[in-house]
Amino acid sequence: MTLAVVAAAGTMASARGVSETATPSTLSWGPCPADIASPTLECTTVEVPLDYRHPEGRTIDIAVSRLPSKNSSQRRGVLLTNPGGPGGGGLSYPGLLGNPVFPQPLPQSVRDRYDVIGFDPRGVGHSAPVTCDYTPEQVARLNLPYPSSSAEVRRDAEIAETIARQCLTSETAGMLPYITTANTARDMDRIRKALGEPQISYLGSSYGTYLGAVYTTMFPQRSDRIVLDSNLGPGGYDHTAFQRLALGMEQRFPDFANFAATNPQYGLGTTPKQVRAKYFELAARLAETPVQGIDGSLFRGTTFDLLYTDVGFTTLATIWQALDTGRPLPPAPPIADPDNSLSSRLHVLCGDSMWPRSIRGYQREVAAHRMTYPLIGAATANIGPCAFWPSPIEPPVRIGDRGPSNVLMVQNLRDPGTPLAGARELRKAFGDRARMVTADQGGHGAYLLFARNTCANDTVTTFLTTGQRPHRDVACAAEPS
């Protein structure tokens, strides 16, 4: 399945640095799909090539949504958005950003200046969804199975190879080589053109930071104001970034430990040290005897997931308390189409870059990371389906400093999902193209929704609305919660 790298690189080069004037929009807007529960949005589709090296071949439809500006005198253009992933849909995201239920929704000043655009990336949701035919048992393992020994790494390798084979033989296997970040960036430029816009602004979070970095690298002159929130390193969601999740959890966990220690009603300890000890006690106990379907591996992964926001601390403490005392667990929210979410995630992770192939190498890294990052390091160093994936059809996009100085990065100091170390590497790669705002707060997501740092929020909003960006990097101090 490996295709010619030279041809792919030529396609990328021809797409860069080309200026283009505005053309009339060719899109017809209408109601969104029934599962997009946002009456403020309107939707359409944009036809794109499956393989951009053969643009006259098979095409797929990308589902696009719009939250229109209602202020024609202040409207500047369009703001494309991506909430992260990979494997997450973005069609409903503009409506989510504008929802006043959140402590920090998208300011009206931003909504006035842009039509806020969402889309399901290729392979996801309403945009030619892919499948790997996940079984319920495979879904239950989710993304972070925690091996306790080298033998369990080998067992996980067998499971991972089976999943990779399922992806390669599924009904959507013909799409597998083309579900990549670079192709999604090319789709974004087709969306721009279909909207009749000479440039786009962009707001991307988490994995969306890498997508935005790739877009503004491939199409620098078509990029207006680029905001990247909670940043991956310049290699995207590669092997290094996945292992770095363990560092992120170690840096974030003390925030939860402080919360639990100051809320003794949960019975998890009265000091952060006791709360940390309770974590390892529960993990070991559940590894021996699962409770209500939660084993030690799933306990560790659930804890990691609920560290993403401060508002998740109450739910996490309640889960720990239930597991510790035998009380019923709170109901878990359902995952919409977990097969597609997990399958499309794999397509991007494995299609963007090469992952190590050696099972013995993973066994060594698991042993080392179990000691260095005891909270979850063995899981983030573990083997997965990417070890058995075909080689990518083109090399990763190299993020660099060529192009306009129009990127603003915003980053929490204690982010479990995209730790500060990756953001610093991306900032260095961008050079003078970027400025970075760091906020002394924890969690994943530094701008709006649950993020309350006024300094960080105001700096990003000012950039989006006026184009004014800090002359140098900014460090925002902690604010009272």
Side-chain angles (χ1 to χ4, degrees), residues 141-347:
R141 302 176 81 249
L142 297 178
N143 296 316
L144 293 170
Y146 187 94
S148 60
S149 65
S150 291
E152 290 191 3
V153 175
R154 186 165 293 280
R155 176 209 63 188
D156 289 342
E158 294 175 358
I159 296 171
E161 186 173 15
T162 297
I163 293 173
R165 188 181 308 114
Q166 289 170 197
C167 299
L168 286 163
T169 57
S170 77
E171 63 181 358
T172 61
M175 295 176 59
L176 182 142
Y178 312 110
I179 308 300
T180 65
T181 300
N183 278 333
T184 299
R186 295 177 179 115
D187 294 343
M188 287 170 56
D189 205 56
R190 289 294 182 109
I191 294 171
R192 174 201 61 77
K193 186 174 182 180
L195 290 169
E197 299 287 340
Q199 292 183 316
I200 59 172
S201 292
Y202 178 80
L203 172 61
S205 301
S206 190
Y207 161 75
T209 62
Y210 181 58
L211 176 59
V214 168
Y215 180 83
T216 198
T217 297
M218 295 175 68
F219 305 99
Q221 303 309 318
R222 298 175 189 169
S223 306
D224 190 11
R225 298 169 183 172
I226 307 298
V227 175
L228 309 179
D229 175 7
S230 305
N231 296 266
L232 287 166
Y237 225 141
D238 58 5
H239 179 60
T240 298
F242 202 76
Q243 289 190 336
R244 197 171 270 157
L245 296 175
L247 170 64
M249 186 168 182
E250 295 286 347
Q251 293 174 338
R252 172 61 165 161
F253 188 84
D255 291 342
F256 171 71
N258 287 329
F259 168 85
T262 55
N263 287 273
Q265 68 270 26
Y266 295 110
L268 304 177
T270 57
T271 67
K273 184 176 180 180
Q274 290 176 350
V275 175
R276 186 177 174 94
K278 176 61 71 174
Y279 172 86
F280 292 112
E281 175 194 329
L282 285 171
R285 189 196 313 169
L286 294 166
E288 290 291 328
T289 308
V291 173
Q292 301 180 64
I294 306 294
D295 61 10
S297 179
L298 191 54
F299 167 75
R300 291 176 188 264
T302 298
T303 298
F304 175 80
D305 289 343
L306 288 172
L307 295 178
Y308 270 47
T309 64
D310 288 354
V311 297
F313 286 175
T314 299
T315 301
L316 181 57
T318 302
I319 291 173
W320 280 30
Q321 183 185 49
L323 293 170
D324 194 33
T325 62
R327 300 178 186 178
L329 287 166
I335 302 174
D337 194 356
D339 172 60
N340 176 239
S341 177
L342 293 169
S343 300
S344 55
R345 175 182 173 84
L346 274 187
H347 281 60

Side-chain angles (χ1 to χ4, degrees), residues 336-421:
D337 194 356
D339 172 60
N340 176 239
S341 177
L342 293 169
S343 300
S344 55
R345 175 182 173 84
L346 274 187
H347 281 60
V348 175
L349 293 181
C350 309
D352 275 1
S353 61
M354 285 288 295
W355 289 59
R357 307 287 193 183
S358 167
I359 296 175
R360 288 182 62 85
Y362 282 101
Q363 290 172 325
R364 288 191 295 268
E365 288 187 335
V366 163
H369 282 243
R370 183 183 296 114
M371 299 298 294
T372 306
Y373 306 109
L375 290 173
I376 206 167
T380 61
N382 197 16
I383 195 168
C386 292
F388 305 97
W389 209 260
S391 298
I393 64 172
E394 61 179 305
V397 176
R398 183 180 178 85
I399 310 301
D401 59 359
R402 298 182 64 181
S405 186
N406 62 349
V407 178
L408 182 64
M409 301 167 57
V410 59
Q411 178 75 32
N412 289 335
L413 295 185
R414 299 179 303 282
D415 185 326
T418 53
L420 181 62

